[in-house]
Amino acid sequence: MHRRISHAAWIVLLGLSAYAVALANADPLGLRLLLSSDPVPDHVLAHVQQHGSSSWHATQADSSSSSSSQAADQRRQLHQAIPIRANALNVRPGLQASAARPASWATASITPSVRGFGIPKTFLGISHEWTKVEELNQPGSYLQLIQDLTAYGGGPLVVRIGGGSTDQQTAPAPASTWNELRQLQYKTGVMYIFGLNFKKGDVALAKSQMDTIFKEIPYYSIMSFELGNEPNFYEGIYGKSSKEYIACCFVNDWERFVKALSCKNPAQFSTCTPGQFAGPVWGHVNMFPRTMEWFLKVNYPYMNLVTVHWYKARREDQNTVQSLLAEGPVRTEMANLRKLVEISRRYGKDLRVAEMNTISNSGREGLSDSLAAALWTLDGALEVANTGAVGINLHWGDGLALYAALLRQKTGAAYVKPTYYAYLLLQMALGSGAQLVKLDLQALPGAKLKVWPLLDTKSGAMRIVLINKHATAAAGMSVRLPDDGYADGKLLRLLGKRGLEDEWGVSLGNMTYNLGGQVFGDPAGEIIAREEAAAAAGPAAGANAGAVVTEAGSSSGAAAASAASKPGVKYTVIMPAGSAALLVIPKQPK
């Protein structure tokens, strides 16, 4: 039988893969200085205060080295530091949003000592149909852009191959496909989840697929095998509707199938290889918890991963920017996902949202390919992390879907869509180790602000994701921390030029990807000054306390209240309408 695939094996065997040496570009956007957990050097602060940021940027680049090549290399490592001035909007000059005063202010009180879920380095993944999956290994375009996603400490990426095409396969993929997937794994260290045809009911076909995968792909890079795709939408099996099929037959069919693939003698568990499969591959996070309980009670011994999908539940053609970014449905869906995670853990299994994107069936033009989709992706990823799920796979379809982060052109080059910038910002925020911590958010009704505080588990720095989902109104944000040796902050912005529906003018740290993954622009960030803050008061009149962002915080109110009652430090950030930012607050050197 096949070798068992376990999470422990992944950790040990990753050292054998090319992942440790595969990063061809260690700092693709030239933002490492901004993202580092080191404080801003004193000489940088002094120069900025005296001469302004652009002067410091040019002077450092010109005088840093006698070698022009070394100077060019160092220039890529610099960020343009923009100082805060009294009552000024601390955004880059030239932004249209900088001319508007913030419509509201919010206070985010963070308690790093009250901690929630840790986020695995393998949290981020992508999902691609079997159709045209070879494009992921295309040199100079897809390949480099995939490598860029692991340049900030996270990874390896988890690549799930499947979707609607899974149950359409009639034979194992051809040799050319496996050659490309082997090369992709060797160059980037990706882990794979492979979809096997379940809907056809042909065990011999699924076994042939599985045998081929073990023959062609290094076993240590195989995370799991998924059986089928979205069985809750199967129609016509045994002449039944999808609801009838789930009620009468699905769980038992899955058990029969997985036993046949796992066991020399399905009647004797001692002959089985447990822990190789992922399921139920449910079509939405709104799966009834009792159905998940039933499924796992029967099939958990053969599984190593629980998988569900997440798209907007609203009908595709009825979605708008406002409905995409609405908070109410997210609250309901994440509450249910948390229940599914808890059930999975009772059976000793992690849960992964193995297919996720804005709007199902390839997305909607002008929405799934916009800045609004990027903000949804960034926020949605952290919402999933906050339930305790171990990862997400953002679906690209066959490479031509509207919601794909990279869109295949006729020339074969990849066009970078706005959502790709959200992937990058997420990876920058998670770094090489992150843990959610306690948040109390006080904002006026109508404010569309989200705050995700992340503790860098290696350095103790805070990495805080800020999102303003409002279409027209800028907002002021006061981020408060206990006085625990924090230095001045550094800010990186994700911005568009034409509002939430922007498809072409999105940038991250003033850097933009051109066709084929070429990077252009001057890296730009901001220094956010550390200010002394008095003890926090209770919620202001008319304000509503934001939801606790971590599970740990929900049962640790006394600790949070104690921390908030003490003097601390604060960082003031203006968030333009329709934007996101990463605020990195390092610890002072001891």
Side-chain angles (χ1 to χ4, degrees), residues 219-429:
Y219 80 92
Y220 54 79
S221 67
I222 303 171
M223 179 176 282
S224 196
F225 295 97
E226 276 192 327
L227 291 183
N229 184 70
E230 300 185 347
N232 50 310
F233 298 130
Y234 285 179
E235 294 287 344
I237 297 182
Y238 309 138
K240 299 182 181 297
S241 69
S242 57
K243 289 184 178 179
E244 290 171 335
Y245 173 66
I246 294 300
C248 78
C249 312
F250 167 64
V251 172
N252 292 333
D253 279 358
W254 211 92
E255 181 189 27
R256 173 181 58 82
F257 222 81
V258 78
K259 280 184 175 181
L261 296 174
S262 301
C263 310
K264 293 180 180 178
N265 181 357
Q268 294 182 352
F269 184 74
S270 61
T271 70
C272 304
T273 302
Q276 298 183 96
F277 295 94
V281 206
W282 208 257
H284 201 275
V285 297
N286 283 340
M287 180 183 189
F288 289 133
R290 64 176 180 271
T291 305
M292 179 67 82
E293 182 89 43
W294 175 31
F295 175 80
L296 288 176
K297 186 176 182 179
V298 173
N299 291 303
Y300 81 91
Y302 309 99
M303 299 173 62
N304 65 353
L305 190 64
V306 176
T307 57
V308 297
H309 298 171
W310 184 32
Y311 293 90
K312 292 293 291 183
R314 192 183 181 99
R315 207 175 85 178
E316 288 94 334
D317 60 358
Q318 293 182 356
N319 276 281
T320 63
V321 167
Q322 290 72 29
S323 68
L324 178 66
L325 298 178
E327 193 69 15
V330 175
R331 298 272 57 77
T332 301
E333 291 164 347
M334 291 301 101
N336 197 72
L337 180 58
R338 185 181 290 266
K339 293 177 182 177
L340 301 182
V341 170
E342 291 170 351
I343 293 168
S344 301
R345 289 188 168 184
R346 287 206 300 269
Y347 287 90
K349 311 300 174 185
D350 289 330
L351 184 148
R352 189 174 187 95
V353 179
E355 185 178 317
M356 167 179 160
N357 219 305
T358 51
I359 301 167
S360 59
N361 293 325
S362 297
R364 187 175 185 188
E365 188 173 6
L367 184 56
S368 297
D369 50 2
S370 68
L371 175 60
L375 299 187
W376 181 91
T377 299
L378 180 61
D379 183 45
L382 292 166
E383 285 282 2
V384 171
N386 190 40
T387 68
V390 299
I392 59 173
N393 291 80
L394 292 152
H395 197 48
W396 292 3
D398 62 357
L400 292 175
L402 289 165
Y403 52 45
L406 303 179
L407 185 65
R408 185 173 68 250
Q409 303 295 296
K410 291 183 179 180
T411 60
Y415 171 68
V416 177
K417 306 291 281 297
T419 50
Y420 182 81
Y421 296 93
Y423 294 19
L424 276 176
L425 185 56
L426 176 68
Q427 291 296 78
M428 292 172 178

Side-chain angles (χ1 to χ4, degrees), residues 8-284:
W10 302 338
I11 296 170
V12 173
L13 292 168
L14 279 177
L16 302 177
S17 77
Y19 172 65
V21 294
L23 301 181
N25 188 348
D27 190 15
L29 299 186
L31 296 165
R32 186 164 300 285
L33 176 60
L34 178 67
L35 293 165
S36 76
S37 296
D38 299 323
V40 180
D42 291 340
H43 75 277
V44 173
L45 288 171
H47 194 97
V48 167
Q49 291 167 359
Q50 184 175 358
H51 301 290
S53 59
S54 58
S55 173
W56 171 76
H57 189 285
T59 302
Q60 293 296 305
D62 291 342
S63 63
S64 60
S65 173
S66 58
S67 165
S68 60
S69 62
Q70 289 177 330
D73 181 68
Q74 184 171 17
R75 187 174 186 277
R76 286 193 293 270
Q77 303 298 319
L78 299 177
H79 70 281
Q80 192 171 12
I82 310 297
I84 293 178
R85 297 179 297 277
N87 299 320
L89 298 180
N90 53 321
V91 293
R92 290 187 292 107
L95 287 177
Q96 185 176 1
S98 66
R101 298 301 305 159
S104 63
W105 287 86
T107 299
S109 298
I110 298 169
T111 312
S113 60
V114 182
R115 301 180 184 180
F117 292 113
I119 303 177
K121 292 175 65 174
T122 54
F123 183 82
L124 178 63
I126 59 175
S127 172
H128 198 291
E129 298 287 348
W130 281 100
T131 310
K132 299 290 186 180
V133 70
E134 301 86 358
E135 70 185 359
L136 297 180
N137 188 48
Q138 181 175 314
S141 185
Y142 280 86
L143 184 60
Q144 183 59 60
L145 290 162
I146 288 173
Q147 288 175 325
D148 285 0
L149 292 174
T150 58
Y152 301 98
L157 288 183
V158 177
V159 177
R160 178 245 189 184
I161 302 176
S165 59
T166 291
D167 288 320
Q168 297 173 1
Q169 302 301 298
T170 58
S176 57
T177 297
W178 302 118
N179 183 53
E180 297 296 335
L181 295 180
R182 275 196 308 273
Q183 290 188 41
L184 178 64
Q185 199 285 325
Y186 178 76
K187 295 170 185 175
T188 67
V190 297
M191 304 290 294
Y192 288 116
I193 298 173
F194 289 106
L196 308 178
N197 190 323
F198 171 72
K199 185 177 182 180
K200 189 175 181 181
D202 187 343
V203 173
L205 170 60
K207 188 176 187 306
S208 175
Q209 291 178 297
M210 194 172 174
D211 288 343
T212 302
I213 292 167
F214 271 115
K215 176 183 175 182
E216 300 286 353
I217 301 296
Y219 80 92
Y220 54 79
S221 67
I222 303 171
M223 179 176 282
S224 196
F225 295 97
E226 276 192 327
L227 291 183
N229 184 70
E230 300 185 347
N232 50 310
F233 298 130
Y234 285 179
E235 294 287 344
I237 297 182
Y238 309 138
K240 299 182 181 297
S241 69
S242 57
K243 289 184 178 179
E244 290 171 335
Y245 173 66
I246 294 300
C248 78
C249 312
F250 167 64
V251 172
N252 292 333
D253 279 358
W254 211 92
E255 181 189 27
R256 173 181 58 82
F257 222 81
V258 78
K259 280 184 175 181
L261 296 174
S262 301
C263 310
K264 293 180 180 178
N265 181 357
Q268 294 182 352
F269 184 74
S270 61
T271 70
C272 304
T273 302
Q276 298 183 96
F277 295 94
V281 206
W282 208 257
H284 201 275

Side-chain angles (χ1 to χ4, degrees), residues 442-461:
Q442 298 175 23
L444 292 173
K448 298 183 178 181
L449 293 168
K450 296 294 285 290
V451 180
W452 294 102
L454 299 161
L455 175 69
D456 184 324
T457 54
K458 291 189 175 181
S459 70

Side-chain angles (χ1 to χ4, degrees), residues 561-581:
S562 175
S565 66
K566 298 176 181 178
V569 294
K570 68 177 181 179
Y571 303 82
T572 303
V573 179
I574 305 299
M575 293 296 295
S579 71

